[in-house]
Amino acid sequence: MNRVTAALHNRETVVYLITTMGALSQLQIARLTQLQPSTVSYIIRELKGRGLVREGKTIPSDRVGPKETLIEMNPTSVWSFGLTLDALGNKLCLMNAAGHIICQRTFSPESNIPAFLDSIPLHLQELIGQHHLEMDDTTVTTVSVPGVVNTTTGCVLNSISLHLENYPLAEQLSKGLRHPVIVERNTVCGAYAERYLGCARGRDHFLYFLARPQMSADSRGRQYSFGLAMVMNGEVYHGFNSAAGELHGGLVQPFNNEPAPFPAGPFAEPKDIAAAMLPIGKALATLVDLLDPETLVVCSDEQLLTNDNLLVLRQTILESLIPVPGRKLEIVRSPLGIDGTLYGAALMGLHRGLKRSLELSASVT
């Protein structure tokens, strides 16, 4: 790397560390990044001058001399816009640079997705005015979508529940918003949130399994569609055709790309739902055997993932695994729930916006 590239890389490393780990002292940053303390001091001084970070609380210390202060993200420096499209109802949220939700809004189910997307710029303008925000070159929107997505072009290749095929979502939405739009699979967004905000923080090898509820046509029960995200060596695996994680027949026979029926509401029998955990657990065990992750994060609504059902699922998985001496597998329920797909979308846009802010600063200097 040349000096300019190396300097940008160091700044991105420091900002990335603070956004993922929270407020840190300069000594902690130096230790974690293995940068020289003088280099860290220079970077922090520059980032403070640009308004990206600020000083936080003072760290208690018994030593004589200046007290250490924590360095944290300046919440007002950058913000992002997250949007989830779902047959049960679309949701949006705004997130600030500290990773905190500024506001969140839920919409009634919408069968005409293109028409709903046309209304998004007006909704965003309204929220921007309410919260005194401004759009600039660092503003990024991320859309979370069920189905197969080409993340390079932002095209939804196929989404059964949204009735979209080869739909240029990013192109349509970016025309109205006039800023970059990222389109990503909902399970990838959920996994992204778990890695930085949830139970998979610091994990480089984990699976994220999402059982997404959908109401059945006769409204007498609840259906679920399934998806998987695979994080390997810290990176999401999308696959050659962008379809990695789609669960349909073959290897995972109990799953189907069409919604799978489960009883619900007053018609639900707990024993029936518990019985449904058995084929799901066996299929997940097959995936664990195949990919050998350190953690499996399972995410669904509270009706499917009760404490008892989670126990059955965990037991089924562990009993179905191929015996591997010393195998360590943590099976945990997502603390973020299904809204993790929304938070992950916003966080993805936030990280992209922060990177863009540093690149713009580097080009100016």
Side-chain angles (χ1 to χ4, degrees):
M1 292 188 292
N2 59 36
R3 289 183 61 185
V4 174
T5 305
L8 178 60
H9 172 75
N10 290 341
R11 282 151 184 74
E12 288 180 355
T13 300
V14 171
V15 169
Y16 174 83
L17 193 64
I18 298 172
T19 56
T20 55
M21 296 190 66
L24 297 167
S25 71
Q26 292 193 37
L27 287 178
Q28 290 172 323
I29 294 171
R31 185 171 66 251
L32 291 169
T33 60
Q34 296 186 340
L35 294 173
Q36 291 294 325
S38 58
T39 301
V40 171
S41 178
Y42 178 81
I43 291 173
I44 295 299
R45 187 164 58 251
E46 188 177 351
L47 294 177
K48 284 168 61 179
R50 294 173 181 173
L52 282 177
V53 301
R54 66 184 185 185
E55 291 188 356
K57 297 179 180 179
T58 301
I59 302 176
S61 176
D62 295 331
R63 71 177 187 176
V64 178
K67 304 295 183 183
E68 277 192 89
T69 57
L70 295 176
I71 305 300
E72 61 186 18
M73 295 304 300
N74 180 358
T76 62
S77 60
V78 175
W79 62 274
S80 65
F81 179 40
L83 175 66
T84 57
L85 302 181
D86 193 288
L88 283 183
N90 305 316
K91 296 182 179 181
L92 64 81
C93 75
L94 304 183
M95 180 179 284
N96 66 24
H100 299 150
I101 300 298
I102 301 171
C103 65
Q104 184 170 326
R105 183 174 291 185
T106 302
F107 299 87
S108 300
E110 174 62 67
S111 58
N112 190 337
I113 293 298
F116 173 74
L117 292 175
D118 286 339
S119 71
I120 287 299
L122 288 177
H123 289 300
L124 183 56
Q125 285 295 340
E126 178 187 344
L127 294 174
I128 287 175
Q130 289 177 2
H131 298 278
H132 310 290
L133 302 172
E134 293 183 5
M135 280 197 290
D136 56 28
D137 291 336
T138 65
T139 306
V140 178
T141 289
T142 306
V143 187
S144 165
V145 179
V148 184
V149 174
N150 184 326
T151 56
T152 302
T153 64
C155 180
V156 180
L157 302 179
N158 184 27
S159 177
I160 293 174
S161 62
L162 298 180
H163 310 291
L164 298 177
E165 186 171 348
N166 293 321
Y167 182 72
L169 195 157
E171 180 182 343
Q172 179 191 347
L173 191 55
S174 61
K175 288 179 181 178
L177 295 177
R178 298 182 180 179
H179 65 243
V181 174
I182 305 168
V183 181
E184 186 55 273
R185 291 183 63 225
N186 56 356
T187 51
V188 171
C189 291
Y192 200 87
E194 295 297 340
R195 185 159 192 253
Y196 295 109
L197 301 174
C199 58
R201 295 181 69 172
R203 307 296 172 87
D204 288 334
H205 306 274
F206 70 93
L207 299 182
Y208 172 86
F209 172 73
L210 174 66
R212 190 166 53 87
Q214 301 180 27
M215 295 308 295
S216 62
D218 61 6
S219 73
R220 306 184 73 191
R222 184 177 287 255
Q223 298 177 328
Y224 290 85
S225 59
F226 304 99
L228 189 82
M230 296 163 282
V231 177
M232 296 178 284
N233 295 320
E235 300 291 335
V236 174
Y237 180 71
H238 287 92
F240 181 74
N241 298 294
S242 303
E246 286 294 290
L247 303 178
H248 179 64
L251 175 65
V252 282
Q253 193 64 40
F255 301 123
N256 210 312
N257 205 22
E258 298 290 345
F262 287 88
F267 304 94
E269 292 290 340
K271 61 181 179 62
D272 293 333
I273 299 178
M277 295 294 102
L278 299 178
I280 292 176
K282 291 179 180 179
L284 288 175
T286 301
L287 293 169
V288 170
D289 281 331
L290 181 67
L291 298 169
D292 193 26
E294 58 180 321
T295 304
L296 169 64
V297 181
V298 291
C299 180
S300 187
D301 59 357
E302 294 182 358
Q303 185 165 344
L304 184 65
L305 277 186
T306 64
N307 289 335
D308 289 341
N309 289 347
L310 182 61
L311 182 62
V312 172
L313 182 65
R314 183 181 286 117
Q315 206 165 11
T316 303
I317 293 172
L318 295 177
E319 290 175 354
S320 304
L321 290 174
I322 295 173
V324 175
R327 183 198 291 271
K328 293 181 180 179
L329 173 67
E330 187 179 11
I331 304 172
V332 292
R333 174 171 38 204
S334 163
L336 303 175
I338 294 174
D339 276 351
T341 59
L342 175 62
Y343 306 145
L347 192 65
M348 204 175 288
L350 177 65
H351 289 169
R352 184 73 63 90
L354 287 168
K355 180 178 175 65
R356 178 63 177 155
S357 178
L358 291 171
E359 291 172 345
L360 290 171
S361 298
S363 64
V364 171
T365 55

